[in-house]
Amino acid sequence: MNQAENLLDRWDFEVRGPMRIGLSGFNTATGLGYQNRDLIDKLPIATWLIVEHPSKPSMETPADLPVVVSPITASEDRIQDWLGEIDCLLFYEQPLIGELPGLARQRGIAVACIANWEWLNPASKWIDEIDAFVCPNRHTFDLLSKWKAERGANWKLEHVPAPVDTNRFRPVVRRKCESFLFINGQGGVCPYFPGWIRHRKGPPRKGLDVVLKAARKVPDISILIHSQAELPAGIPRNVTLLPAVEENHELFATGDVAIQPSYFEGTGLQMIETLASGMPLVSTDAAPMNELPLFRAIRCDNRIGKVGGNPIHVSVPDPSDLARCMKECIDADITEASVVARNHAERVHSWPQAIKAMNRVLNQ
C-alpha cells in the first residue's frame, strides 16, 4: 500500500469546522438498512447516497435529509455530483459502488468504513482508499491491526462496540427460563467449504440447521423462532414459528433465553439487541460472539470457509452441545443474567458512547 497521507489527519477542524459527512448504503428492512438509519438519526449526516438493493425495496426516506437514489451501477456523473456535497464518505461493510472510495479520494474527500470483518479482503483495491476503519468488535480491530502492520497502511483504527438504540429496546427482566427464542431473519449468507472437486455450499450462517437438530434432542423444551426465510418442512413439534412483527424491537417480546448458534458474525447486531431487551444469550464459543456476556457458550469446530470469495474462519456449532445448554437453562432462575444482559448493552453498546468515539474518528 502506498497511501500518501491520511485525509482525516489533514482536516483542520479549528479553521474549517465539522466535516460534511455523506453516508452511502442500503435503505432496506435489513440489518445494514437499519444500521444506516441509526447513523442518520444519531450522527450529523449531511446527505445520503441511497444505493438500491438488487432485490429488496427501500424504506421511506427521511423527510429532512437530502438524498440521492442510485443503482449499484451508478454513472460517474451522478457520483461526482453527490461527492461535491461532502468532505467525508462513510459506509458500512463495503462500498457497494466499487469505484466510490477511489473517486472520493481523488477529490480530497476522506473515506471511513464501519467494518464487518467477513466481507474484508486485503486484496480488494478499495481497501487502499480507506482513511479510517471503525471496528464494531475486538475481533475486527485485531484483524485490521494485523493487516495494517503487514501493509504499512496509514489507517486510523478505532474500536467502537457496535451500538444499538437502547431506548428502542425496552428491557423486561426475565425471571425463569421456560422457553428459548431464535432470531433467524433472512438466515444469512452461506459459507462455502473446500471439497475434493469444488467448494461445497454450507448452511446459512445464523444457524437454523443447528437449532432444528438441537430441538430434536430436547423434545420437551419449547423453542420459538422468528424467521423471514421459509422454514424447512417437518420441523420438530416443540418448535413454533412466530408471526411477523412491524418493528425489530418487537422480536423480543416472547421467550426467555435467546439461542443464536451463529457460524460467524460481523457485528452480531441481533445479539446485542437481545441483550438490550434483557434476554440472556446463548451463542457460539468463538469470536466475536464470545466477546458478549454469554449465559452459555456452545462448543464449536473451527474450519476455513469462503464468503464472497474471501477465506474466513467459520465456527461450526455443535447441536448436541446446544441441546446440553438448553437442558441446563430450562427452569433455571435467570433474573441476574437478565439484568446483566441489559446493563452490558447500556454500558458498552449505547449510542451516546459510540457517538463520542465516532466523533473522534471523524474530527467532529
Side-chain angles (χ1 to χ4, degrees), residues 97-114:
I97 300 172
E99 64 270 26
L100 188 59
L103 293 174
R105 280 191 61 85
Q106 288 174 18
R107 298 183 65 131
I109 296 167
V111 183
C113 171
I114 304 175

Side-chain angles (χ1 to χ4, degrees), residues 119-303:
W119 292 101
L120 296 178
N121 186 328
S124 297
K125 182 180 179 182
W126 65 267
I127 285 184
D128 289 343
E129 313 292 351
I130 301 299
D131 294 287
F133 280 108
V134 177
C135 306
N137 45 58
R138 178 58 59 176
H139 180 68
T140 304
F141 181 85
D142 290 345
L143 175 66
L144 283 168
S145 295
K146 176 175 177 288
W147 289 2
K148 179 178 180 178
E150 292 173 349
R151 299 161 70 91
N154 201 20
W155 304 325
K156 275 186 168 186
L157 295 180
E158 187 82 20
H159 175 208
V160 183
V164 298
D165 189 342
T166 51
N167 292 326
R168 185 189 304 160
F169 296 89
R170 293 188 177 182
V172 175
V173 177
R174 272 74 175 185
R175 305 290 180 183
K176 181 181 179 182
C177 178
E178 297 179 329
S179 63
F180 294 88
L181 175 69
F182 171 61
I183 308 295
N184 187 49
Q186 298 283 352
V189 67
C190 297
Y192 282 80
F193 296 110
W196 286 106
I197 299 175
R198 58 181 178 270
H199 289 318
R200 177 177 60 84
K201 187 176 182 179
R205 71 173 180 86
K206 292 292 184 184
L208 173 63
D209 65 311
V210 179
V211 171
L212 296 180
K213 289 175 184 176
R216 293 185 174 94
K217 299 177 183 293
V218 287
D220 296 327
I221 293 178
S222 174
I223 300 172
L224 313 173
I225 294 181
H226 275 294
S227 181
Q228 294 167 284
E230 186 176 352
L231 299 187
I235 63 173
R237 291 185 178 182
N238 57 328
V239 172
T240 301
L241 178 63
L242 297 173
V245 298
E246 292 292 327
E247 300 289 342
N248 58 347
H249 65 85
E250 299 175 50
L251 292 169
F252 309 100
T254 309
D256 302 307
V257 171
I259 49 174
Q260 296 292 154
S262 295
Y263 285 70
F264 57 90
E265 288 284 347
T267 299
L269 185 63
Q270 85 285 348
M271 297 186 184
I272 302 166
E273 293 172 347
T274 291
L275 299 176
S277 301
M279 187 175 289
L281 174 64
V282 175
S283 190
T284 313
D285 191 11
M289 291 76 75
N290 60 10
E291 294 180 29
L292 298 171
L294 301 183
F295 190 48
R296 294 289 189 278
I298 308 164
R299 187 172 59 244
C300 61
D301 293 324
N302 293 313
R303 300 180 60 184

Side-chain angles (χ1 to χ4, degrees), residues 8-34:
L8 286 167
D9 290 337
R10 193 175 74 177
W11 185 264
D12 189 335
F13 178 88
E14 298 298 329
V15 173
R16 305 176 72 179
M19 286 182 151
R20 298 172 297 167
I21 302 172
L23 175 66
S24 175
F26 294 139
N27 179 31
T28 49
T30 60
L32 284 175
Y34 284 119

